[in-house]
Amino acid sequence: MTKIIHCADLHLDSPMETHLTEAQASTRNTEIIHSFLRLTEYAAQNAVSAVIIAGDLFDGERVKTRTVDEILDAMGRTPGVDYLYLAGNHDEASNAFADRDIPQNLKLFGQSWQSFAYNGVVISGIEISRANAESLYQNIPHSEGVVNIAAMHGQVGTACGEDMVNLNLLKNRGIDYLALGHIHTYACQTLDGRGVYCYSGCLEGRGFDECGPKGFVLLRVEGGRIQHEFVPFSCRQLHRLPVDISGLAKNSQIAQKIQQAAQQIPADDMVEILLTGEVDPTANIAVSYLQNLLRPRFFFSKIKNETRMRIDPSDYKNDISLKGEFIRLVLASDASDEDKAAMIRTGLQALTGEEITL
């Protein structure tokens, strides 16, 4: 049996400071590097012949020397495993290996097709560029009597272009498994009557648009047949959790609802709570306060208020009080529903002499 790993989109040394603190971002970058190091150990311990890295190993030009050292040293420590590296659209980075002594088991794909043979398997790959975006489909490698794997990086579709993979031109070309990078969520679909195309997803989620299990694909080839399975491998998982707080007005009630909804999520994970539902405009949802309550529970957490204002204009149609007049004026304005709710809440706090919260 021949075993192959397909991974992609590690984005080593990406900033990640949009929501995380500097310390948290540094921790996550270290964890992502270590996830790749763990992958190399897994490959060696499980007799994997080759690891396909289908693009975006790095994240732009800001790659640290120590990161490259870690990657190359890990590959050097596992000489029985080949690492087949295909640069992606964020990998200005093949430059990361320029002028470096690279181990013999690191094989670099270029802008023309290259192939590497293993027991019963041939793996071919190519970097898509503006220059070869159309011509690359004319001479797709194919070997008879073995399983054929092709590796590319880009968005699947029906057109040719830089960072685009034209599936129509790959059909019926003898590909058993098309290993792709670019999409950060695992997905596997039928290519044609013979093969499939697969995005391995990223090895670790970095933002809340990358929620759910992350890992790599393990391929097993035996007797001319190929089997594949997704292997969850991340050290943390990201969760985006909607919490309906319709009818709740007290922060203590909202906090309890959040805690109940998130109680099954491991403490090491990262959580974004989306407050949803319809609430009274006078309800004072103290997002900062709620975040402070939640913060000790997880490695990282944040709360976003996406509730809608629950108010019936007819309730104030004949209200001759100052409050009624104020609400009618706000409701008749061109402001967004979110701004109307904020104005009504702030105005009613002022009218009743409460502390105004913005």
Side-chain angles (χ1 to χ4, degrees), residues 160-179:
C160 297
E162 195 172 8
D163 305 323
M164 300 176 68
V165 177
N166 190 326
L167 290 181
N168 284 346
L169 298 181
L170 294 171
K171 292 180 178 180
N172 304 312
R173 305 294 293 274
I175 297 172
D176 296 288
Y177 182 92
L178 176 59

Side-chain angles (χ1 to χ4, degrees), residues 11-16 24-33:
H11 290 274
L12 301 176
D13 286 343
S14 57
M16 290 194 295
Q24 288 172 325
S26 177
T27 297
R28 281 302 286 152
N29 264 311
T30 301
E31 288 174 345
I32 295 172
I33 294 169

Side-chain angles (χ1 to χ4, degrees), residues 30 35 44 56 61 94 97 99 109 119 129 147 149 159 169 182 194 212 261 292 300 333 337 350:
T30 301
S35 283
D56 288 353
E61 297 178 354
S94 338
F97 296 138
D99 301 321
F109 290 114
N119 182 30
S129 66
V147 167
I149 297 175
L169 298 181
H182 190 58
R194 173 171 177 158
N292 288 335
F300 175 81
S333 72
D337 288 344

Side-chain angles (χ1 to χ4, degrees), residues 131-242:
N132 69 9
E134 295 188 11
S135 61
L136 70 88
Y137 299 97
Q138 297 172 8
N139 57 344
I140 300 169
H142 175 72
S143 299
E144 293 293 339
V146 298
V147 167
N148 286 266
I149 297 175
M152 304 174 76
H153 184 95
Q155 175 66 55
V156 296
T158 57
C160 297
E162 195 172 8
D163 305 323
M164 300 176 68
V165 177
N166 190 326
L167 290 181
N168 284 346
L169 298 181
L170 294 171
K171 292 180 178 180
N172 304 312
R173 305 294 293 274
I175 297 172
D176 296 288
Y177 182 92
L178 176 59
L180 296 171
H182 190 58
I183 302 300
H184 292 187
T185 300
Y186 168 73
C188 191
Q189 300 284 338
T190 299
L191 175 64
D192 53 28
R194 173 171 177 158
V196 299
Y197 65 93
C198 184
Y199 285 103
S200 65
C202 52
L203 205 56
E204 292 272 355
R206 296 174 300 140
F208 289 104
D209 55 344
E210 298 176 356
C211 293
K214 302 299 174 186
F216 59 84
V217 179
L218 178 62
L219 310 175
R220 295 182 176 89
V221 179
E222 189 171 21
R225 294 181 177 275
I226 184 169
Q227 295 180 325
H228 52 88
E229 66 171 313
F230 175 74
V231 179
F233 204 68
S234 61
C235 67
R236 301 185 195 276
Q237 190 167 314
L238 284 84
H239 308 263
R240 177 173 276 161
L241 184 63

Side-chain angles (χ1 to χ4, degrees), residues 47-355:
V48 169
S49 297
V51 174
I52 301 168
I53 306 170
D56 288 353
L57 176 61
F58 301 100
D59 192 76
E61 297 178 354
R62 47 164 288 154
V63 55
K64 299 180 178 69
T65 298
R66 67 172 181 263
T67 300
V68 180
D69 289 341
E70 288 262 37
I71 297 305
L72 293 179
D73 288 350
M75 292 175 176
R77 289 193 300 269
T78 53
V81 181
D82 278 357
Y83 296 90
L84 312 183
Y85 171 50
L86 174 77
N89 58 302
H90 284 268
D91 274 319
E92 284 104 351
S94 338
N95 299 316
F97 296 138
D99 301 321
R100 303 296 295 268
D101 292 328
I102 65 174
Q104 292 184 349
N105 58 333
L106 173 57
K107 318 291 185 182
L108 307 180
F109 290 114
Q111 294 186 14
S112 58
W113 285 102
Q114 291 173 271
S115 300
F116 301 95
Y118 302 90
N119 182 30
V121 184
V122 172
I123 303 172
S124 303
I126 190 169
E127 295 178 15
I128 304 174
S129 66
R130 188 173 302 173
N132 69 9
E134 295 188 11
S135 61
L136 70 88
Y137 299 97
Q138 297 172 8
N139 57 344
I140 300 169
H142 175 72
S143 299
E144 293 293 339
V146 298
V147 167
N148 286 266
I149 297 175
M152 304 174 76
H153 184 95
Q155 175 66 55
V156 296
T158 57
C160 297
E162 195 172 8
D163 305 323
M164 300 176 68
V165 177
N166 190 326
L167 290 181
N168 284 346
L169 298 181
L170 294 171
K171 292 180 178 180
N172 304 312
R173 305 294 293 274
I175 297 172
D176 296 288
Y177 182 92
L178 176 59
L180 296 171
H182 190 58
I183 302 300
H184 292 187
T185 300
Y186 168 73
C188 191
Q189 300 284 338
T190 299
L191 175 64
D192 53 28
R194 173 171 177 158
V196 299
Y197 65 93
C198 184
Y199 285 103
S200 65
C202 52
L203 205 56
E204 292 272 355
R206 296 174 300 140
F208 289 104
D209 55 344
E210 298 176 356
C211 293
K214 302 299 174 186
F216 59 84
V217 179
L218 178 62
L219 310 175
R220 295 182 176 89
V221 179
E222 189 171 21
R225 294 181 177 275
I226 184 169
Q227 295 180 325
H228 52 88
E229 66 171 313
F230 175 74
V231 179
F233 204 68
S234 61
C235 67
R236 301 185 195 276
Q237 190 167 314
L238 284 84
H239 308 263
R240 177 173 276 161
L241 184 63
V243 177
D244 190 335
I245 60 168
S246 296
L248 302 184
K250 296 180 180 179
N251 284 288
S252 58
Q253 296 172 317
I254 297 170
Q256 185 177 11
K257 188 77 177 285
I258 291 171
Q259 293 287 355
Q260 290 172 346
Q263 63 184 348
Q264 299 301 320
I265 298 176
D268 287 339
D269 285 0
M270 303 169 66
V271 184
E272 180 182 60
I273 302 293
L274 304 180
L275 300 181
T276 65
E278 294 187 342
V279 297
D280 191 279
T282 60
N284 175 20
I285 302 173
V287 171
S288 295
Y289 169 76
L290 294 169
Q291 285 188 159
N292 288 335
L293 289 179
L294 192 62
R295 185 170 291 119
R297 172 77 171 77
F298 300 104
F299 172 78
F300 175 81
S301 61
K302 63 181 292 190
I303 296 175
K304 291 177 67 175
N305 184 2
E306 296 189 349
T307 57
R308 301 181 305 277
M309 180 176 60
R310 185 187 65 197
I311 190 167
D312 185 351
S314 64
D315 291 343
Y316 300 91
K317 183 177 181 180
N318 299 314
D319 189 332
I320 59 174
S321 68
L322 181 58
K323 179 179 76 173
E325 180 64 20
F326 169 68
I327 290 176
R328 285 193 296 272
L329 284 172
V330 173
L331 292 177
S333 72
D334 294 330
S336 67
D337 288 344
E338 181 181 357
D339 288 343
K340 287 179 182 178
M343 286 188 285
I344 289 173
R345 183 174 62 250
T346 303
L348 294 183
Q349 288 172 341
L351 288 172
T352 57
E354 297 181 14
E355 179 183 356

